């Protein structure tokens, strides 16, 4: 797995390209427009510069990473000799299927074709595939070069060797992969996230708390704890008898709505889309550039801390 192709140069695509190149892979990134590639090149360079500033890379290492990435608008050039293809194009099924048709007609049968989708299931993505057994989902999270988790999703036709190779590749590039035992809409993280958002939206809608109140509360509680201790382990440490009582007392009063809250629909209709329009739950003056920079700066600090902890745990376990 030395030659990696990334299809799509957007937020997820350019971040994944950086990630694979940092791991020493030869990377081709393909977009339809040169302007998208230029923007991706700039974003990757800026991201690496921040890592240099954080002493996570040297200047020489940054230049080596950049030298491993090739940019092209030619799909056939992008997929030539690819060992692993990560499709990260817009969530339009027909567009994905057309792209897969071209890929399968041009690459080796050993080439793994992976999608970063969070919308479609593999049975949909492989409906025209000649070799559905080599298709898999690797769901990265924004920004992919920083957030450790990757959800690996297979289905009944996926060859188990493809799952194992993909898992090993994700570990090799520094990720913390999890393999779902069965395919399900939303996978793990988004299902848990949507359940939490449903209740957060309910608290806003019923006047219990503001968006800012909820952010402060979660950053100072779940966000603080879950960085190193997930929700299941947290309950073990708290005591499952306490969990049982808490769940029993609160669960019956939680929102069970199946509808998107009206205030969120109104925000979208009024073009309050977040950083894209400088207005969402918060107001922005710079298309969110400062907020994104601050977020990534904090993420890098946390990533350094997590990597340090992993290194210490590895040393301790080897003694």
């Amino acid at each position: 797995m030395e030659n990696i192709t990334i299809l799509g140069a957007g937020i997820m695509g350019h971040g994944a390209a950086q990630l694979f190149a940092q791991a020493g892979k030869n990377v081709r990134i393909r977009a339809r427009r040169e302007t998208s590639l230029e923007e991706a090149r700039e974003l990757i360079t800026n991201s690496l510069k921040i890592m240099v500033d954080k002493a996570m890379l040297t200047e020489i290492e940054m230049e080596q990473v950049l030298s491993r990435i090739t940019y092209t608008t030619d799909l056939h050039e992008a997929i030539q000799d690819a060992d692993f293809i990560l499709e990260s194009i817009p969530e339009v099924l027909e567009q994905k299927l057309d792209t897969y048709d071209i890929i399968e007609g041009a690459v080796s049968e050993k080439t793994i074709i992976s999608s970063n989708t969070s919308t479609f299931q593999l049975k949909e993505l492989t409906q025209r595939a000649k070799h559905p057994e080599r298709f898999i989902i690797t769901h990265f999270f924004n920004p992919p070069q920083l957030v450790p988790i990757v959800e690996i999703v297979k289905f009944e036709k996926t060859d188990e060797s493809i799952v194992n190779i993909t898992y090993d590749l994700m570990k090799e590039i520094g990720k913390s992969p999890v393999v779902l035992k069965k395919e399900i809409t939303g996978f793990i993280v988004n299902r848990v996230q949507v359940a939490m958002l449903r209740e957060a939206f309910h608290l806003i809608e019923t006047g219990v708390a503001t968006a800012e109140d909820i952010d402060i509360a979660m950053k100072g509680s779940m966000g603080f704890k879950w960085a190193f201790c997930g929700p299941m382990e947290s309950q073990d440490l708290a005591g499952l008898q306490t969990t049982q009582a808490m769940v029993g007392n609160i669960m019956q009063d939680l929102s069970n709505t199946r509808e998107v809250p009206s205030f969120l629909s109104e925000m979208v209709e009024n073009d309050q889309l977040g950083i894209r329009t400088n207005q969402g739950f918060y107001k922005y003056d710079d298309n969110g550039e400062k907020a994104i920079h601050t977020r990534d700066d904090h993420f890098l600090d946390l990533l350094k801390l997590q990597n340090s902890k992993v290194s210490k745990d590895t040393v301790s376990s080897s003694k």
Side-chain angles (χ1 to χ4, degrees):
M1 295 289 108
E2 294 301 319
N3 298 319
I4 310 297
T5 295
I6 311 295
L7 302 181
I11 292 174
M12 303 304 293
H14 85 261
Q18 175 186 330
L19 176 67
F20 280 104
Q22 283 179 222
K25 306 299 182 183
N26 304 313
V27 180
R28 292 194 187 105
I29 182 169
R30 188 260 180 177
R32 291 183 173 185
R33 296 184 297 273
E34 286 287 352
T35 52
S36 298
L37 294 174
E38 286 303 317
E39 185 176 344
R41 192 195 308 269
E42 182 180 353
L43 289 168
I44 291 171
T45 302
N46 290 340
S47 177
L48 291 170
K49 284 180 178 178
I50 295 173
M51 298 186 80
V52 171
D53 291 341
K54 292 278 186 183
M56 298 176 74
L57 288 176
T58 65
E59 289 275 0
I60 293 175
E61 288 171 331
M62 182 184 82
E63 292 303 321
Q64 290 173 338
V65 171
L66 291 172
S67 71
R68 295 187 192 110
I69 304 175
T70 302
Y71 302 82
T72 181
T73 57
D74 187 320
L75 178 57
H76 284 89
E77 178 185 344
I79 61 179
Q80 183 179 6
D81 300 324
D83 298 312
F84 186 92
I85 297 173
L86 176 63
E87 172 268 303
S88 188
I89 65 177
E91 295 286 72
V92 180
L93 182 58
E94 197 63 29
Q95 185 175 337
K96 291 179 185 290
L97 295 177
D98 289 345
T99 301
Y100 298 152
D101 287 345
I102 296 172
I103 293 173
E104 285 209 289
V107 302
S108 162
E109 291 182 12
K110 295 181 179 180
T111 301
I112 296 175
I113 302 173
S114 174
S115 177
N116 186 55
T117 186
S118 60
T119 304
F120 299 110
Q121 295 191 355
L122 280 164
K123 64 183 178 182
E124 298 173 282
L125 297 177
T126 60
Q127 60 185 268
R128 297 190 333 220
K130 297 176 182 176
H131 296 283
E133 70 278 359
R134 46 95 167 267
F135 279 74
I136 199 164
I137 291 171
T138 48
H139 183 223
F140 292 79
F141 288 81
N142 182 31
Q145 70 272 28
L146 301 182
V147 180
I149 187 68
V150 176
E151 295 174 317
I152 298 175
V153 186
K154 58 183 179 176
F155 75 144
E156 64 273 7
K157 294 183 180 179
T158 307
D159 191 307
E160 200 60 32
S161 67
I162 299 298
V163 178
N164 295 334
I165 292 169
T166 301
Y167 182 89
D168 290 343
L169 178 61
M170 295 301 107
K171 294 285 286 186
E172 186 181 351
I173 64 175
K175 291 297 157 186
S176 301
V178 293
V179 180
L180 273 68
K181 297 187 182 300
K182 63 171 68 175
E183 193 173 30
I184 187 171
T185 304
F187 314 145
I188 298 171
V189 176
N190 278 341
R191 288 183 76 92
V192 174
Q193 178 176 238
V194 169
M196 293 182 64
L197 283 173
R198 175 169 64 182
E199 189 58 33
F201 291 155
H202 177 67
L203 294 176
I204 294 173
E205 207 165 25
T206 55
V208 173
T210 65
E212 185 177 12
D213 293 333
I214 293 169
D215 280 350
I216 292 171
M218 296 306 294
K219 285 189 289 186
S221 59
M222 301 299 98
F224 179 81
K225 294 193 294 182
W226 287 0
F228 293 99
C229 185
M232 300 298 100
E233 186 181 2
S234 291
Q235 302 316 306
D236 272 353
L237 299 180
L240 295 184
Q241 74 282 5
T242 301
T243 301
Q244 181 188 34
M246 176 185 69
V247 170
N249 289 334
I250 298 175
M251 185 173 283
Q252 61 186 344
D253 198 39
L254 294 177
S255 170
N256 61 0
T257 182
R258 299 276 182 175
E259 304 295 330
V260 174
S262 58
F263 77 84
L264 182 60
S265 297
E266 289 172 7
M267 290 175 71
V268 172
E269 289 171 7
N270 291 327
D271 213 29
Q272 297 176 11
L273 306 179
I275 62 172
R276 292 182 181 181
T277 57
N278 286 327
Q279 180 67 55
F281 289 108
Y282 298 90
K283 183 175 177 58
Y284 307 90
D285 297 320
D286 56 358
N287 294 322
E289 289 184 15
K290 181 179 179 182
I292 291 173
H293 180 81
T294 300
R295 178 202 67 184
D296 289 355
D297 190 59
H298 291 327
F299 281 2
L300 280 166
D301 287 338
L302 180 58
L303 187 60
K304 286 179 67 176
L305 186 59
Q306 287 184 327
N307 289 342
S308 174
K309 181 180 182 301
V310 169
S311 297
K312 288 178 181 177
D313 289 347
T314 302
V315 171
S316 297
S317 64
S318 65
K319 290 182 178 179

